[in-house]
Amino acid sequence: MKELLSGNEAIARGAWEAGVTVACGYPGTPSTEILENVAEHYKDDMYCEWSPNEKVAFEVGVGASLAGARVMVTMKHVGLNVAADPLMTFACMGAVGGFVVVVADDPGMHSSQNEQDTRNFAKFAKIPLLEPSSSAEAKEFVARALEISETFSTPVILRTCTRVSHSRSLVELGERSAPPEVGFKRESSKFVAIPLWARKMRLRVEERSGKLDELVETSDLNRIEWRDRNLGIITSGVCYEYVREVFPNKSVLKLGLGWPLPVEKIEEFSHGVDDLLVVEELDPLIEEHTRALGIPCEGRNCVPGIGELSPGRLMPIRAAMMGREANLPSPVPEAADLPGRPPVLCPGCPHRGTYAALKKFDVAVMGDIGCYSLGTLPPLDKMESLLCMGAAVGMAHGMQKAGEPRKTVGILGDSTFFHSGITGLLDVGYNKGNSTIIVADNRITAMTGHQEHPGSGKTLMGQDTYQANVEDFGRACGIKRTRTVNPYNMSEMVAALKEELEADEPSLIVAKAPCPLHARKLVGPKHTIDASACVGCGACLKIGCPAIEGGGGKPMINQNLCWGCGLCASVCPKNAISESEKAEGAQ
Amino acid sequence: MSDTTSVIMVGVGGQGILLASEVLARAAMQAGFDVKTNEVHGMAQRGGSVMAQVRYGEEVHSPLILEGTATALLSLESIESLRAAHYLKDGGLAVVNTQRVIPVTVSSGAAKYPEDDAERVKKVFPKLKAIDAVAIAGELGNIRAANVVLLGALSLGLDLEMEHWAAALDGAVKPQFRELNQKAFEAGRNL
């Protein structure tokens, strides 16, 4: 039976069919739906969890693998940076039960702070990497990765990307294989990475690399498709599909194993074609390898290395080969002056109140990864830097210690705080910092679509659990000035900020209100603007609420979009905004 | 590539573009075609421009549509149709909701929503169905079914049978919304 599955659904299915019993990770676009699907469909057969961050998830996976279980760990590309420490040494130690880490790259940065190429990690850690090009392969490659992991005692990376994870295609479903027996067999020289034994592990990595070099020559994951031999194209992952679309009659060497790269197969292929082209997204790993073999090829000279590829971006290459211009249509002139439509904080979002209050102070605001990063764009325009998960706290502290004349503020969300903000806060407390840290605490991982976390009171498997409080961590980190504020209450929020910014010691403000989109409940009664009282000053438009429509004349509140948070009423100097007469129930 | 049907769908986060693309993909699957879809998640509920792509045929490779080759375009918002117009092939069908969704850039005074959006849409798309889908869905009882009204209008321009659409709709929506969505689809198809 065939089903239409996204790459992420297929990966979840693949893990289930392959007898995986432990699946863990941290949410991150475009990887998030993998574990959501595990929880929705397979949790009776597989333990699954959202770990606080990718490093912990990876370590949970290592423990399970050492016990003999088949394991899948999931994350987005930048998550592997966080998990790089356990990755690099586990790569030497080697897996017992099959261990696949699914890493979702985001070429083009649809929803990411950079577009790093995860294949470099496979090279760095000397471990195999598989690259599916469709949902069917995404499912199949999970099992193949686990087999390779067990055969060669190595963790294996399954590299997906936005266009594999979030594309749907047809997948043939299979049955579940029996999971392996679990029971940790103690063997210190294998599992304890002290220098004495780590040196032996290092030698085993080299032996393993030799065997993997043989595998990539013989595996059917790397296949040559002979068609017209005047041009041969080496490609991998989703780029294979673009190549087949744009060059349907040309020969192709498809590398399902993105690392290590074969030698003989590339030589055989290059000897069989007149001209050789490498089509790969982001870094030129295949091209450099091919050139190092002394084989001339086209690659980065004509295939863009920045952003994601597409059929459209390959068309100029085909056209140039025919001595023509590609002549792809570009946006119509009628679209030239259209207003931009950047993503914005949702109507009713509690973060809007936090930023509206913050705007009243001249402070340096270090931001972080999450919905509240949208506070950097006009009209809120109040977040001045964003680096990586949890960085807001350390950056605010460092900027203060450097002597920044303005008071420094770090703002991050609750899930991000649990992920990697806690250690930063410990630093602020320990090293006598003076920053104000705001945790925009909406009790859920909102940006990636409402995943549970240690503060939400529920596990990924749907069990009720201990609910971690940000405030408790603040006090434990030595932040005496820790307080909770309602971000919908403008005057309370402004007063709290004023006090904490004036204090000569560090402080933690927990701006706490659940995400209304997650609660699926209006914050309060919907609001309207009394046109007779409105003077058109535009104060309500400065909070950037999509429900308030302006841009000529007096603003109006779209009743279909209003979530009734009332923030607009609290910023209106003429009291022209009040609750609508017909307040409705749930949105 | 030539036998593949490609449909590009655009709109604003929260308008129901993902459901529309899922129904079309399921209908194509019902009809026995190979199918690929793509959509960009993440910003889908946050008021940004969103795009979904559906392709079906004997064998489909790329989930992404080549500019200038889409068989049809479905736009849930007036000016979003213009942003994606260059994906449509010459003479392709455009189904465009006349609804305007005002971006925050306009509300805050940083940009202007074009007054002449309807004229621009008419000029850019020679084969156009401009539909006030929100009004039609509202008459049927729920404006959120506007996406399915448009899908009904789109269905006449594609080579899929009504039985495939019906099965796809039933499979994609929750039972309590089936009747509403069936009516919405019919309303769009009968325009």
Side-chain angles (χ1 to χ4, degrees), chain A residues 507-542:
Chain A
S507 53
L508 174 69
I509 298 175
V510 183
K512 199 174 209 164
C515 173
L517 229 61
H518 181 55
R520 292 177 178 275
K521 222 174 79 187
L522 295 185
V523 183
K526 294 178 186 239
H527 282 59
T528 45
I529 299 174
D530 176 358
S532 61
C534 173
V535 293
C537 70
C540 58
L541 295 170
K542 293 202 176 78

Side-chain angles (χ1 to χ4, degrees), chain A residues 444-477:
Chain A
I444 204 76
T445 317
M447 188 60 152
T448 42
H450 301 122
Q451 288 74 37
E452 306 295 343
H453 67 53
S456 72
K458 283 240 186 261
T459 68
L460 174 58
M461 298 183 80
Q463 300 148 316
D464 292 325
T465 186
Y466 167 72
Q467 202 166 2
N469 269 311
V470 175
E471 293 87 342
D472 293 341
F473 282 96
R475 286 182 280 268
C477 290

